[in-house]
Amino acid sequence: VVMQDEVVGHAVRAVYMYAGMTDIAAIYRDADYLNAVNNLWKNMVNKKMYITGGIGARHEGESFGDNYELPNISAYSETCAAIGSVYWNHRLFLLTGKSKYYDVIERTLYNALIAGISVDGNNFFYPNPLESDGKYTFNMGSCTRQHWFDCSCCPTNLIRFIPSVPGLVYAVNKDSLYINLYMSNNAKIMVENTSVNVNQETNYPWQGNIKINISPEKKKIFTIKLRIPGWAQNIAVPGDLYYYLNNDEYKIEVKVNGEEYFKSIQDGYIEITKKWNIKDEIEITFPFYVKQVIANEKVEEVANQVAIEYGPFVYCAEEIDNFEKLSQVIIPDKIQYAIEKKTIISNPINFVKCMVYTRASDTEMKETQLNLIPYYLWSNRGVGEMSVWFKRD
C-alpha cells in the first residue's frame, strides 16, 4: 500500500483503507505510510473530488474514475464514501493539526454527506449525483430517494455517523484548544488538566455570526485556535480543482470580550493566547455572500460552466422551484443575487434567486428567474430535474 499514489477502486473501501493507513502512520510514526496517504489525499482533492465533497465517479465497481473524470448525472458519489472521507480527513487532521482537512470535512458534511438522508429522516440516497433529468434511475432502481436498500450500508452508516458529529467540533493538543466546526453546543473539555466549559451560540451554517463563551474552572493561560473556513478566505478547496470566480474581499471580524482582535490567519487558524477567565467571550463574524465556482479546465464535464455557493453550502436548482430543461440555463459572469429566507418542508433555509437566460429558440434568448436551494435538500418534494452546474456566459 505504501507504493500507491492514486486513489482507485471501490471508493468506500479505499477511504476506509486510507484511514487505517493514516492510523499506522500515526501510531508507528511510519514515514512510508505518511508519504503514501499524503500522495493519495493530494490526488483525491486535486483530481477526483466533486464540488460537494463527494467521491466516486463510476457506478461500475462503485469506484473512483480516472483523473478529472467527474460526470454529473451518472456520478456515484456514494453516501458511505462521503462518510469515509470525513473519517479519513479527521485522522489526517489529528495527525497534523492542519485546517485544510477540515475544509474537506465541512464541504462534505454539509453537501455530499447530509444529502444522503431526507429531511424527515425516512428516505435515503445511495449515490448522490449532481444532476438529474427526473428519468434516469440512478438510486438502485429509482430516480428519487428510497426507504431502504437490499444492501443498506448507507442508511445504517448515516445512523452511526450522525451521533459522532460532536467528536468533530473540538480538538486539544497540549495547551491549544482547536475550534474546528461552528454549531450551537455546550462542551466540557480538558486542556492541560484544567476543565474548560465552552458554549457556542450561532445560526451557522446559515449565518456567519458566532458567539463563544470560554469558562475554565480556574484562570489559565492557553491558546484557542479558531478555524477560518477556506470559503471565507476565498479558497474553494485546498488545491486547484475548483476556484471562485468572484474573489471580493470581505473582512472577517474577531472580538475578544467586545474588543476587536487583530491577528493574521496562520495555516487556516486565528490564534488567541491569553489568560482565560470565567465567562470570557469570543465573537466571530464570517462574511456570507454568494460565490460563483468554476472547475479546473481539465474537468471536461463542466467546461465553461459555473456552480453557486453561499456560505459552506453548494446550491442547486430543482424543477419544482423553476421549470423544465434546466440544462438550458445560462448564467452571466456579472450577475446580482438575492437572498430570501424560506421554509422548505419545515426546514428554514437561505433561498438564492437570480436573473438568468434560457434559450427560447436557436436565435432567441429569454431572461428568467432562477431559484436555488442547498444541494442537500433536493429530491425531498418529488421527482424532477435538478442541476448543480450551469452554462456560463
Side-chain angles (χ1 to χ4, degrees), residues 189-295:
I189 303 166
M190 296 300 295
V191 181
E192 285 197 324
N193 301 316
T194 298
S195 178
V196 180
N197 287 312
V198 183
N199 169 263
Q200 285 194 48
E201 296 177 19
T202 182
N203 197 29
Y204 189 97
W206 302 108
Q207 294 175 334
N209 300 319
I210 302 144
K211 185 182 291 184
I212 305 171
N213 289 106
I214 307 293
S215 289
E217 61 182 353
K218 60 183 179 182
K219 293 182 181 180
K220 181 175 177 62
I221 297 174
F222 61 93
T223 298
I224 290 180
K225 292 191 173 188
L226 304 171
R227 177 179 156 264
I228 308 303
W231 64 261
Q233 302 178 63
N234 286 324
I235 302 169
V237 292
D240 63 357
L241 192 53
Y242 302 103
Y243 304 88
Y244 289 133
L245 188 60
N246 48 327
N247 281 321
D248 302 324
E249 291 294 329
Y250 289 85
K251 184 180 177 183
I252 297 165
E253 295 183 356
V254 176
K255 293 181 180 180
V256 179
N257 294 330
E259 295 185 4
E260 284 199 41
Y261 184 84
F262 295 96
K263 194 81 170 182
S264 61
I265 300 170
Q266 298 291 333
D267 297 323
Y269 289 94
I270 288 179
E271 298 185 10
I272 307 171
T273 302
K274 67 182 289 289
K275 183 179 282 188
W276 296 94
N277 202 353
I278 294 173
K279 295 186 178 178
D280 277 346
E281 184 177 87
I282 302 170
E283 295 172 271
I284 313 168
T285 302
F286 291 127
F288 267 56
Y289 56 99
V290 175
K291 289 177 175 286
Q292 293 168 275
V293 189
I294 54 175

Side-chain angles (χ1 to χ4, degrees), residues 6-243:
E6 181 182 356
V7 292
V8 295
H10 192 282
V12 181
R13 295 174 187 172
V15 288
Y16 279 5
M17 184 177 77
Y18 306 151
M21 290 167 63
T22 307
D23 285 340
I24 295 297
I27 294 166
Y28 295 104
R29 300 184 181 182
D30 190 303
D32 291 336
Y33 272 80
L34 180 60
N35 183 58
V37 294
N38 284 338
N39 289 335
L40 290 162
W41 185 85
K42 288 174 185 175
N43 176 252
M44 185 180 83
V45 299
N46 283 291
K47 298 177 181 179
K48 298 192 179 186
M49 184 176 73
Y50 284 98
I51 189 175
T52 58
I55 52 173
R58 298 177 181 174
H59 281 245
E60 182 183 1
E62 300 180 335
S63 64
F64 288 104
D66 293 331
N67 289 335
Y68 304 108
E69 180 187 344
L70 293 166
N72 290 323
I73 199 166
S74 64
Y76 204 67
S77 185
E78 187 181 335
T79 301
C80 281
I83 293 171
S85 175
V86 170
Y87 287 148
W88 181 30
N89 276 278
H90 189 220
R91 283 164 166 79
L92 287 165
F93 162 78
L94 292 172
L95 180 58
T96 65
K98 293 182 179 179
S99 67
K100 64 182 181 180
Y101 301 115
Y102 260 91
D103 286 339
V104 177
I105 288 173
E106 185 176 65
R107 178 168 292 275
T108 305
L109 193 64
Y110 288 122
N111 299 290
L113 193 155
I114 202 66
I117 187 169
S118 62
V119 171
D120 63 11
N122 290 325
N123 295 283
F124 303 88
F125 277 141
Y126 208 111
N128 293 274
L130 281 75
E131 181 183 344
S132 175
D133 60 5
K135 299 172 184 176
Y136 173 47
T137 54
F138 63 89
N139 192 29
M140 303 299 174
S142 173
C143 54
T144 187
R145 300 172 188 273
Q146 287 205 54
H147 186 63
W148 207 245
F149 308 99
D150 290 340
C151 174
S152 249
C153 61
C154 293
T156 50
N157 208 357
L158 273 166
I159 291 164
R160 173 180 70 157
F161 175 81
I162 290 171
S164 76
V165 169
L168 299 173
V169 179
Y170 303 104
V172 175
N173 183 34
K174 299 178 182 177
D175 65 346
S176 293
L177 169 60
Y178 292 76
I179 302 180
N180 286 316
L181 294 177
Y182 300 102
M183 54 184 72
S184 291
N185 70 83
N186 293 292
K188 183 176 285 188
I189 303 166
M190 296 300 295
V191 181
E192 285 197 324
N193 301 316
T194 298
S195 178
V196 180
N197 287 312
V198 183
N199 169 263
Q200 285 194 48
E201 296 177 19
T202 182
N203 197 29
Y204 189 97
W206 302 108
Q207 294 175 334
N209 300 319
I210 302 144
K211 185 182 291 184
I212 305 171
N213 289 106
I214 307 293
S215 289
E217 61 182 353
K218 60 183 179 182
K219 293 182 181 180
K220 181 175 177 62
I221 297 174
F222 61 93
T223 298
I224 290 180
K225 292 191 173 188
L226 304 171
R227 177 179 156 264
I228 308 303
W231 64 261
Q233 302 178 63
N234 286 324
I235 302 169
V237 292
D240 63 357
L241 192 53
Y242 302 103
Y243 304 88

Side-chain angles (χ1 to χ4, degrees), residues 131-135 317-320 322-330 356-362 366 368-370 384-387 389-391:
E131 181 183 344
S132 175
D133 60 5
K135 299 172 184 176
E318 203 172 10
E319 183 181 335
I320 191 171
N322 294 281
F323 40 80
E324 292 183 348
K325 296 187 178 180
L326 290 170
S327 60
Q328 296 298 313
V329 169
I330 299 172
V356 299
Y357 295 98
T358 57
R359 189 171 296 283
S361 67
D362 289 342
K366 180 176 72 173
T368 187
Q369 180 172 297
L370 185 69
E385 292 185 21
M386 180 277 294
S387 186
W389 290 94
F390 305 93
K391 291 183 177 68

